[in-house]
Amino acid sequence: MKEKIINDVYLALEKQIPEHEIVIEYPKERKMGDFAIPCFTYAKTLKKSPQIIAEQIKEKLNYPKIEVVGGYLNIFLDRQELTKQVLEDIFQKDYGKLDFGNQETIVIDYSAPNIAKPFSVGHLRSTVIGNALRNICVKCGYQVVGINHLGDWGTQFGKLIVAYKKWGDPEKIKQDPIQELTKLYVLFHETAEKDKTLDDEARLYFKKLEENDPECLELWRWFREESLKEFQKTYDLLGINNFESYHGEAFYNDKMQPVIDELKEKDLLTTSEEAKVVMLEDLPPALIQKKDGATLYLTRDLATAFYRKKTYDFKEALYVVGSEQQLHFKQLKAVIKKMTYDFADNMHHIPFGMILQDGKKMSTRMGKTVKLHDVLEQAI
Ligand code: ARG
């Protein structure tokens, strides 16, 4: 802009003042203009008063607004229009594009809310940090695979199925799925406080689900579908909608056994209190299978890591997950390393701090969560 203004002034003065003598200053206050041209030094050469010189230049320039104040010419730009032009230019020329990624693949695991629970503010950070990392990696020339590793499997589904069978009302669920399912979940925990058999029942139902019991599967599918519809509203508000994959934990249900078998073959599986664990150096043992044969979050993440390595042959795999899962990811990497796979070194947990409510962790179980959708709407 400065160059353009200097050139315009040079032409307006009919080239009588050399360009290098045309000085541009910034007015002390913005309301006086974006640029100021002092015309005092031209008076001697042009044999006119600075005021008149300024008036003459003004006649010949074309800017949104120009004011003559004393011997100064103050120029106002259309900042909005200029900003628009600059941004358009930046996007068009793809400023800052780098290519050191050589189109190698980076897998980014982010967002990953849990089915049948509210999309809470707790998942905001993973979602936006993950998305930012994604944009950066793309800019650096990597091939990015964004994965929404939905929490759609686990003992909580056993609890939910039990609660639904006891107290559920399909009509209410259809009307407000997450709210109703959360209510059922909370009710389950309240009741289980007094009635210990409920937890056993839930374990049984999750076991059934893992064994593909048709009734359990159908309920699970329904809860998942309704939840995804609801999550979508939050993603729409955030403008984040570019996951390459929505394979959640459930997808790995039939992919864990080969990993467990390999652990057995490699003599890494130990029985401890009837459960199967992998003993680790400097870390607590990694629990792989409970005594009733049920698998765990960690077991699913093991199967996931192998699946991703095989499917995407990633250079790096990032897990954008809260710092409270630090131990989980350390164990995950340590188990893979013990199986003698070096790609564990290319798996990185990207931790971030937890969002607290009144200094405490938010818990769906206690019915204490803040919905991300509500917060975003308030912010807007
Ligand atoms: N659903 C999990 C949670 O809300 C996060 C999953 C992160 N990804 C993973 N591969 N473990 O805590």
Side-chain angles (χ1 to χ4, degrees):
M1 263 340 274
K2 276 174 104 173
E3 261 171 42
K4 177 178 168 355
I5 293 170
I6 288 174
N7 193 255
D8 285 352
V9 171
Y10 175 65
L11 296 178
L13 292 173
E14 285 155 355
K15 305 186 185 176
Q16 293 181 69
I17 304 292
E19 267 191 278
H20 68 265
E21 279 180 27
I22 300 172
V23 178
I24 294 202
E25 295 176 356
Y26 295 106
K28 288 203 181 60
E29 283 174 69
R30 220 196 203 177
K31 65 172 194 271
M32 311 211 22
D34 293 297
F35 295 110
I37 301 158
C39 300
F40 308 98
T41 50
Y42 319 144
K44 218 169 154 194
T45 317
L46 301 177
K47 302 195 174 57
K48 283 176 203 154
S49 78
Q51 173 94 22
I52 289 174
I53 297 169
E55 292 286 356
Q56 280 176 346
I57 300 173
K58 181 184 168 182
E59 289 306 301
K60 296 190 181 155
L61 295 190
N62 183 18
Y63 288 91
K65 189 173 148 200
I66 307 176
E67 273 176 359
V68 173
V69 181
Y72 281 98
L73 193 69
N74 290 341
I75 296 181
F76 297 78
L77 304 176
D78 182 344
R79 281 177 177 254
Q80 209 169 342
E81 177 56 29
L82 198 65
T83 306
K84 187 170 158 248
Q85 280 171 17
V86 171
L87 288 179
E88 275 171 7
D89 192 45
I90 287 174
F91 292 135
Q92 206 175 31
K93 294 194 180 136
D94 221 354
Y95 279 29
K97 190 172 168 60
L98 302 164
D99 56 12
F100 61 79
N102 289 321
Q103 293 306 311
E104 287 186 280
T105 299
I106 294 193
V107 168
I108 310 183
D109 178 321
Y110 65 108
S111 197
N114 299 316
I115 299 297
K117 292 188 188 177
F119 196 151
S120 82
V121 283
H123 282 96
L124 173 64
R125 286 183 173 163
S126 174
T127 307
V128 298
I129 295 171
N131 192 60
L133 285 173
R134 174 202 182 89
N135 290 342
I136 293 168
C137 289
V138 168
K139 254 319 193 209
C140 294
Y142 287 100
Q143 202 76 44
V144 173
V145 181
I147 302 179
N148 198 342
H149 189 76
L150 297 166
D152 57 3
W153 208 246
T155 33
Q156 75 268 28
F157 288 95
K159 295 177 184 172
L160 209 54
I161 291 171
V162 170
Y164 174 75
K165 286 171 80 83
K166 284 194 194 307
W167 312 294
D169 175 348
E171 280 317 307
K172 275 193 184 163
I173 296 183
K174 264 178 218 141
Q175 270 163 29
D176 194 347
I178 306 261
Q179 170 121 345
E180 276 310 306
L181 292 174
T182 308
K183 265 193 208 156
L184 287 175
Y185 193 65
V186 173
L187 186 58
F188 177 92
H189 281 280
E190 281 168 3
T191 318
E193 284 277 296
K194 291 162 249 150
D195 179 2
K196 295 291 170 204
T197 62
L198 227 53
D199 276 319
D200 293 331
E201 221 177 311
R203 256 192 294 277
L204 188 77
Y205 270 95
F206 177 53
K207 196 86 217 321
K208 277 179 140 190
L209 183 61
E210 283 202 299
E211 285 158 2
N212 294 325
D213 172 83
E215 187 199 5
C216 291
L217 261 185
E218 195 184 321
L219 283 175
W220 170 79
R221 231 177 252 133
W222 179 40
F223 298 158
R224 187 182 195 270
E225 214 168 283
E226 294 297 337
S227 300
L228 275 182
K229 266 191 239 159
E230 192 87 0
F231 292 169
Q232 202 50 52
K233 295 180 193 159
T234 306
Y235 287 125
D236 285 346
L237 272 185
L238 286 167
I240 292 180
N241 235 334
N242 42 13
F243 298 98
E244 271 71 24
S245 162
Y246 281 88
H247 284 330
E249 293 183 42
F251 178 74
Y252 301 95
N253 187 33
D254 62 354
K255 296 173 182 61
M256 288 179 280
Q257 197 53 48
V259 184
I260 296 174
D261 291 345
E262 190 174 337
L263 284 169
K264 247 183 244 158
E265 267 161 42
K266 294 190 166 159
D267 227 3
L268 296 172
L269 228 42
T270 319
T271 307
S272 166
E273 294 169 34
E274 292 177 72
K276 298 271 183 287
V277 304
V278 175
M279 301 306 280
L280 301 168
E281 288 79 48
D282 308 323
L283 289 172
L287 185 53
I288 303 292
Q289 211 167 17
K290 292 188 194 170
K291 66 174 177 189
D292 63 0
T295 57
L296 295 105
Y297 181 52
L298 180 64
T299 328
R300 289 187 284 281
D301 252 332
L302 271 173
T304 307
F306 284 106
Y307 176 85
R308 288 180 187 168
K309 185 63 194 167
K310 199 174 83 206
T311 310
Y312 306 112
D313 191 24
F314 59 78
K315 180 161 187 266
E316 316 284 341
L318 314 184
Y319 294 83
V320 190
V321 188
S323 53
E324 70 276 9
Q325 290 190 28
Q326 212 121 29
L327 176 62
H328 167 79
F329 286 104
K330 277 191 188 154
Q331 289 179 316
L332 175 64
K333 289 173 63 165
V335 173
I336 296 175
K337 203 68 184 177
K338 274 208 119 168
M339 295 169 81
T340 64
Y341 292 107
D342 282 337
F343 75 83
D345 295 332
N346 304 325
M347 289 165 48
H348 314 278
H349 177 206
I350 314 285
F352 50 83
M354 201 170 0
I355 298 183
L356 303 174
Q357 190 182 20
D358 305 327
K360 290 194 206 90
K361 192 178 169 188
M362 288 183 264
S363 135
T364 312
R365 214 176 281 200
M366 317 284 276
K368 280 187 200 143
T369 42
V370 178
K371 281 196 227 154
L372 179 54
H373 197 272
D374 294 349
V375 174
L376 291 175
E377 276 197 327
Q378 275 180 38
I380 291 166

